[in-house]
Amino acid sequence: IITHYHQDHIDSFNAIYPDSQGIEIKQVYITPLDSELFYSVAQEWDDVDSFDTFNEITKDADNINYVQRDDTLTFDDLTITFFNAFDQVVIDCREDIPNNDSLVFKMETDDRSILICGDCHSNYMAEYLVDTYGNKLSADILQCGHHGNNSMPEESGFYETVSPEVAIFDTPDKIMTSPVYTAGALAAYLQALDARIVWYNTAPNVFGF
């Protein structure tokens, strides 16, 4: 599952897919993205080259699945439900389409659940998700969108709706500790909601679910 097309989310895939060296990739799930729209709104940090590379290496592939909002996948005792993908809602947001088109999805078993937000952020998207899905967003673990920086606004009610036991921040020191960024303030807010903060500031990272 690839949330969106920014370099830090897709370039490893772009390196592995053409020469997998024994890694078997059965299916790929990714957000769709209108090319012309992306090119028209892309800023210098929006990694157009990574997007172009993905399209080039997968143009003849038969295992690329473009996810739609509300799609569900089931694997044995694991269910994955998608709450966000590129569509008219993201366009209507009119803010940072290359990030807000991120797949937002919940992975759950009978015992545990995690909500993955990719880089989706902004008040519009947070309020849409809360209004549309409500308690379906509730999860034991939350991966904070946009690495926790300028993420879903606290006043949107998003974090109270998810009500996580654990909140994951995957971000370098400067974003988590510098007052220039908001990740540290979000971590403090989530701690006040009784969430345990897990901060990954190195790579690669793995956690058991």
Side-chain angles (χ1 to χ4, degrees):
I1 298 175
I2 304 170
T3 59
H4 62 297
Y5 298 92
H6 276 160
Q7 180 182 33
D8 57 329
H9 291 257
I10 201 170
D11 270 9
S12 292
F13 174 85
N14 285 347
I16 293 168
Y17 192 74
D19 183 17
S20 62
Q21 299 183 49
I23 298 172
E24 183 181 7
I25 302 174
K26 294 180 179 179
Q27 300 294 329
V28 178
Y29 299 91
I30 192 165
T31 189
L33 181 57
D34 179 83
S35 298
E36 290 187 11
L37 178 59
F38 177 57
Y39 295 142
S40 71
V41 301
Q43 304 294 317
E44 59 182 298
W45 54 81
D46 281 323
D47 308 317
V48 170
D49 289 347
S50 295
F51 177 65
D52 288 343
T53 298
F54 174 85
N55 288 328
E56 177 62 27
I57 65 176
T58 62
K59 63 182 180 181
D60 297 320
D62 59 5
N63 63 343
I64 306 300
N65 302 277
Y66 291 99
V67 176
Q68 304 298 315
R69 192 184 306 276
D70 299 314
D71 281 356
T72 300
L73 305 174
T74 303
F75 305 95
D76 297 326
D77 63 345
L78 176 68
T79 300
I80 303 175
T81 305
F82 294 93
F83 299 122
N84 193 63
F86 177 79
D87 62 6
Q88 191 61 45
V89 174
V90 177
I91 296 172
D92 290 344
C93 177
R94 300 182 182 276
E95 179 184 344
D96 197 3
I97 287 172
N99 274 318
N100 279 323
D101 75 342
S102 289
L103 296 180
V104 175
F105 58 97
K106 183 176 179 178
M107 302 170 61
E108 55 188 324
T109 67
D110 289 340
D111 301 316
R112 206 74 171 138
S113 59
I114 181 169
L115 185 68
I116 303 289
C117 294
D119 276 357
C120 187
H121 68 109
S122 83
N123 194 64
Y124 185 98
M125 298 306 301
E127 290 187 346
Y128 174 85
L129 291 170
V130 170
D131 291 345
T132 304
Y133 297 106
N135 290 334
K136 291 181 181 179
L137 300 173
S138 177
D140 300 308
I141 307 168
L142 169 68
Q143 176 260 319
C144 296
H146 206 222
H147 308 271
N149 178 52
N150 293 330
S151 190
M152 307 296 194
E154 297 161 9
E155 62 271 18
S156 67
F158 180 81
Y159 302 105
E160 287 81 358
T161 301
V162 179
S163 189
E165 296 175 9
V166 178
I168 295 174
F169 290 75
D170 193 345
T171 192
D173 292 6
K174 67 177 183 179
I175 291 179
M176 195 68 168
T177 62
S178 170
V180 176
Y181 301 99
T182 66
L186 176 58
Y189 182 80
L190 285 162
Q191 283 180 312
L193 296 178
D194 295 325
R196 178 166 65 91
I197 304 302
V198 175
W199 173 26
Y200 296 107
N201 61 347
T202 58
N205 301 308
V206 177
F207 68 90
F209 173 58

